[in-house]
Amino acid sequence: MGAPKIHPRDFRPAPGERVHLRRWPTHIRRLYQGEKDYRHLLVKDVKELSDLQQILYASGTYSLLLIFQAMDAAGKDGAISHVMSGVNPEGCDVHAFKPPSAEERAHDFLWRTTVRLPGRGRIGIFNRSYYEEVLVVRVHPELLQGQGLPPGELADPGLWAGRYRSIVELERHLHRNGTRVVKFFLHLSREEQRRRFLERIDEPDKNWKFSQDDMKERAFWNDYRRAYEKCLTATATKGSPWYIVPADDKLNARLIVSRIVIQTLKGLGLAYPVVSRARKAELRAIGRQLARKGR
């Protein structure tokens, strides 16, 4: 069986489209025929992604930022670790953003992620991101009290629209300067989350992944769904698209993510730097020196 046949546009809400997550599937027909076939397809994708990452690194012109957002237990960690397993660590950085520190709260809401953006030739991965500031903080607006905002800003009914605008403007700035931003929302059903939570309780080696806080957040499921719908609607752009990835099947979700990343890199039209005649002559001279010393 060949590489999974997917069309990224099938998972991508159009700019300006009002997103209703109930209309987007959390499960689709599998792209693989059993786990053996899944492993074969993923290995093939990882190899292709590794080759493309080397060209990205060598060209030193573009950078790629992959953002992963999801409800708890949707499989962000697994998608990142499996899909990016073959990428050279020297050309890739992964950042998981937890609740902000005191230093981070003393800056604007984009500061802590901006300083972690990938340099040219590199792939940056954000496990959660600045989008938490219009998701978690929107569901729990009391968190705004600890952000040191001017009183007028706290009372402004346009606060969320302003944050969406700041995000879109940042991503457009990044795009103009060579950073391609690709955003994944791993779309999990509430029933599948319940099953995965039970699995984390039943399997001792997964107990560390679960806490009472996870159950507290589950109670806000509908609030998070609405927050995601508003966020996806406001921040899906042509240059920095969102992909709503059905995540009830973890293996399927990983293959979808891998193919989208591969197609994004291919779309850059990258190639290894052209070697000049002078450089070729220099390399031949070096090669002759090494040949003589080896005798």
Side-chain angles (χ1 to χ4, degrees):
M1 184 177 176
K5 303 298 183 183
I6 73 161
H7 300 288
R9 64 178 179 273
D10 293 341
F11 306 96
R12 185 174 63 215
E17 175 185 346
R18 187 171 180 181
V19 174
H20 298 280
L21 286 175
R22 287 194 178 100
R23 300 177 186 174
W24 289 80
T26 60
H27 193 285
I28 61 172
R29 192 173 73 175
R30 295 193 315 188
L31 300 172
Y32 60 97
Q33 304 295 322
E35 289 198 22
K36 182 178 180 180
D37 185 48
Y38 157 75
R39 289 192 295 270
H40 168 74
L41 291 170
L42 186 64
V43 167
K44 187 175 180 179
D45 280 1
V46 167
K47 174 62 169 62
E48 187 173 6
L49 182 55
S50 177
D51 293 341
L52 288 166
Q53 185 267 335
Q54 288 185 44
I55 300 174
L56 176 75
Y57 188 80
S59 67
T61 302
Y62 291 97
S63 57
L64 179 63
L65 174 61
L66 306 177
I67 292 176
F68 289 83
Q69 295 285 158
M71 301 285 199
D72 290 335
K76 297 189 308 301
D77 293 351
I80 293 168
S81 63
H82 285 80
V83 173
M84 307 306 293
S85 61
V87 173
N88 187 336
E90 290 186 355
C92 183
D93 302 294
V94 180
H95 301 285
F97 292 97
K98 305 299 183 182
S101 65
E103 179 187 19
E104 291 167 343
R105 289 196 302 272
H107 292 80
D108 69 272
F109 79 95
L110 292 171
W111 179 80
R112 69 170 180 158
T113 48
T114 300
V115 297
R116 301 297 184 188
L117 290 170
R120 300 188 191 283
R122 303 182 67 84
I123 296 175
I125 301 170
F126 285 179
N127 185 343
R128 301 191 186 277
S129 66
Y130 43 81
Y131 280 101
E132 294 293 283
E133 295 294 330
V134 292
L135 295 168
V136 174
V137 179
R138 184 155 195 172
V139 172
H140 300 287
E142 65 275 11
L143 294 173
L144 290 169
Q145 300 295 329
Q147 294 190 352
L149 296 174
E153 289 295 317
L154 286 173
D156 185 358
L159 183 146
W160 303 114
R163 289 197 167 189
Y164 295 143
R165 188 164 58 251
S166 293
I167 288 171
V168 169
E169 289 171 353
L170 169 68
E171 292 176 351
R172 285 176 176 160
H173 166 77
L174 294 175
H175 191 276
R176 287 193 299 270
N177 286 274
T179 297
R180 296 296 179 260
V181 183
V182 177
K183 303 169 292 194
F184 296 103
F185 171 58
L186 303 187
H187 189 21
L188 185 74
S189 68
R190 193 174 191 190
E191 174 57 27
E192 179 61 17
Q193 186 193 63
R194 184 185 72 85
R195 191 193 68 76
R196 292 182 188 181
F197 279 175
L198 287 171
E199 185 179 79
R200 290 179 177 184
I201 294 171
D202 293 340
E203 298 184 24
D205 61 345
K206 293 185 177 181
N207 288 171
W208 65 274
K209 289 186 173 184
F210 188 71
S211 71
Q212 189 60 39
D213 288 340
D214 295 317
M215 284 301 297
K216 290 179 181 178
E217 288 302 287
R218 180 173 164 82
F220 292 95
W221 180 273
N222 289 330
D223 297 306
Y224 274 109
R225 177 180 53 78
R226 286 189 289 269
Y228 268 107
E229 288 174 340
K230 292 178 184 296
C231 171
L232 296 172
T233 298
T235 61
T237 63
K238 181 179 179 181
S240 300
W242 275 105
Y243 292 95
I244 302 176
V245 178
D248 281 3
D249 182 333
K250 291 181 181 180
L251 308 188
N252 222 34
R254 293 167 190 169
L255 292 175
I256 293 170
V257 168
S258 68
R259 296 311 306 171
I260 290 173
V261 175
I262 286 169
Q263 291 180 40
T264 299
L265 287 171
K266 282 184 172 180
L268 296 178
L270 298 174
Y272 284 107
V274 177
V275 180
S276 67
R277 289 185 178 181
R279 177 59 174 160
K280 289 180 179 178
E282 180 184 16
L283 291 173
R284 285 195 295 269
I286 294 172
R288 288 193 292 271
Q289 293 176 25
L290 289 171
R292 286 196 298 269
K293 291 180 179 179
R295 293 176 180 172

